[in-house]
Amino acid sequence: MKNERLFEALSARARSESPPSVDVAGRVIAILNAEQNRIEQLTEKPLLWLAAASSALAVPAVVVAIIVYNASTGPLYEISQAIAWVAQ
Amino acid sequence: MFLSILPGRIVSLRAERLLVEFVYSLMDSEFVAEDRQKTNASLAAELEDVRLSRRGDSDAYTRLIKQHQSQVSRMLWRFSRDPLVHEELVQDVFVEAYLSLGSYREKAPFGHWLSRIATRIGYRYWKQIARRGETESFSLAEWDELPGKSTDDIDPGRAAEMLHRLLAQLRPRDRLVLTLRYLEGCDVAETARRTGWTKSLVKVQSRRARKRLEKLFAQAGKGLRG
């Protein structure tokens, strides 16, 4: 088959071709560093949101706790507790 | 040579030739041993760089890139002859290789592993082109202008360019197997290794691709000098 023989001969010839020289080291490292930063940011973000949400919940809980504590340790509450004990 | 001028020609020419061959073989074995030592040392250094790269050492990975980029570049020049695309493909190979360094088992040299990634990336690029329906122009007229008896006078770059344009008319699968078998000069086993196909699939695919190539020549209107 003549076509195939020519194809093979051209292929053999093409094998000795030298490609253009490239130096991609700097760009590859830059891409990998950018990718690394992106991944770090992605993993940090959910933690930041979690911290913010738990702080937002914690603040009113602490306020309520202080109010309840103050109410339960007032003089009127102590008198009512003493009456209840005597009544028993 | 000097032995043949000894008085009485004690040593025959045949014996002299054997002696010379023996001396050469001794010298060769020394060179081979030296080469092997160098190869082992460079492989060990390369493996160390791979391990350091896995731990995030960018200097080690830079060394690996510098060591293998010409080999990867040569392979990917078969997949795209546009210098910008070619450079981007080479870049993609090293980015993808870094991201999958964990899957490198260290059983074969790092270069072999890279060649599989390069083939996969080149093939993926061809499939993208095929999906977009982009085809490069192709004419058999250029083939008819080739010198009659020998292809030795053709510039390798021109030969590669012609083959690139011809193979671009085929489906990516056919193009891949013909590129690896003919342009890269890979045998069946090497083609199977690079593509991840079985050897029998490579054989079947090669046969089909050759038939499609022949059909392409026929469709183009003329058999070359046929």
Side-chain angles (χ1 to χ4, degrees):
Chain A
M1 195 155 41
K2 281 183 180 176
N3 294 347
E4 193 170 331
R5 272 206 300 276
L6 184 59
F7 179 77
E8 282 173 11
L10 281 176
S11 300
R13 194 79 191 117
R15 251 173 258 152
S16 59
E17 185 198 19
S18 46
S21 62
V22 290
D23 188 5
V24 294
R27 259 175 304 143
V28 169
I29 297 297
I31 290 170
L32 291 175
N33 283 338
E35 184 71 9
Q36 188 70 28
N37 290 340
R38 199 179 63 84
I39 290 167
E40 275 170 15
Q41 277 177 359
L42 275 177
T43 50
E44 274 173 11
K45 264 189 184 166
L47 288 174
L48 283 173
W49 280 111
L50 189 67
S54 50
S55 306
L57 285 173
V59 169
V62 167
V63 169
V64 168
I66 289 169
I67 291 168
V68 168
Y69 177 78
N70 284 340
S72 65
T73 54
L76 189 63
Y77 180 77
E78 278 179 14
I79 289 168
S80 68
Q81 286 290 302
I83 292 167
W85 184 73
V86 169
Q88 274 180 353
Chain B
M1 203 71 80
F2 53 90
L3 292 173
S4 59
I5 56 167
L6 285 175
R9 295 179 67 87
I10 302 162
V11 182
S12 71
L13 281 172
R14 185 169 164 70
E16 179 193 332
R17 201 162 53 234
L18 282 173
L19 192 62
V20 169
E21 275 172 13
F22 177 68
V23 170
Y24 278 135
S25 70
L26 272 181
M27 284 164 68
D28 279 352
S29 64
E30 267 180 39
F31 284 129
V32 167
E34 200 177 312
D35 276 356
R36 203 167 290 157
Q37 269 182 349
K38 274 185 195 166
T39 310
N40 285 344
S42 70
L43 281 178
E46 184 181 89
L47 209 55
E48 186 55 31
D49 280 343
V50 171
R51 286 170 190 159
L52 288 170
S53 302
R54 273 195 198 121
R55 281 181 243 142
D57 186 335
S58 59
D59 290 339
Y61 199 58
T62 304
R63 280 197 295 276
L64 284 174
I65 295 172
K66 287 200 181 290
Q67 196 178 333
H68 293 283
Q69 64 185 354
S70 61
Q71 170 212 346
V72 171
S73 163
R74 197 184 58 78
M75 271 183 237
L76 287 167
W77 191 235
R78 307 276 179 229
F79 290 88
S80 173
R81 297 181 69 81
D82 176 340
L84 288 177
V85 176
H86 166 251
E87 202 164 332
E88 209 167 292
L89 291 175
V90 176
Q91 195 175 292
D92 288 351
V93 169
F94 286 104
V95 170
E96 194 160 318
Y98 184 83
L99 297 177
S100 43
L101 265 182
S103 67
Y104 174 52
R105 299 268 172 260
E106 299 179 10
K107 285 177 185 167
F110 187 65
H112 287 204
W113 184 70
L114 271 181
S115 67
R116 285 190 68 165
I117 297 178
T119 305
R120 197 167 59 225
I121 284 186
Y123 184 45
R124 196 168 64 197
Y125 169 69
W126 278 348
K127 284 203 281 189
Q128 281 168 0
I129 291 179
R131 266 199 296 273
R132 289 200 297 260
E134 294 170 15
T135 45
E136 294 175 43
S137 61
F138 165 71
S139 158
L140 275 180
E142 198 181 15
W143 287 67
D144 283 335
E145 290 164 11
L146 292 175
K149 287 177 185 171
S150 161
T151 51
D152 294 345
D153 305 331
I154 302 171
D155 172 56
R158 188 182 167 215
E161 181 74 45
M162 285 170 67
L163 291 171
H164 186 81
R165 275 206 295 271
L166 171 73
L167 292 175
Q169 311 303 311
L170 298 173
R171 292 187 319 178
R173 210 175 168 78
D174 298 328
R175 192 178 178 186
L176 179 66
V177 75
L178 291 178
T179 300
L180 291 178
R181 295 296 312 277
Y182 290 94
L183 270 92
E184 286 283 300
C186 301
D187 58 11
V188 173
E190 177 63 10
T191 308
R193 194 188 64 73
R194 283 211 205 168
T195 52
W197 300 343
T198 60
K199 284 183 193 171
S200 46
L201 180 60
V202 170
K203 285 178 195 165
V204 170
Q205 195 60 45
S206 303
R207 210 168 30 246
R208 284 182 188 159
R210 275 198 300 267
K211 273 186 188 167
R212 289 202 181 102
L213 184 66
E214 203 46 48
K215 208 172 164 185
L216 178 68
F217 277 124
Q219 277 173 354
K222 37 188 155 179
L224 297 174
R225 285 192 285 277

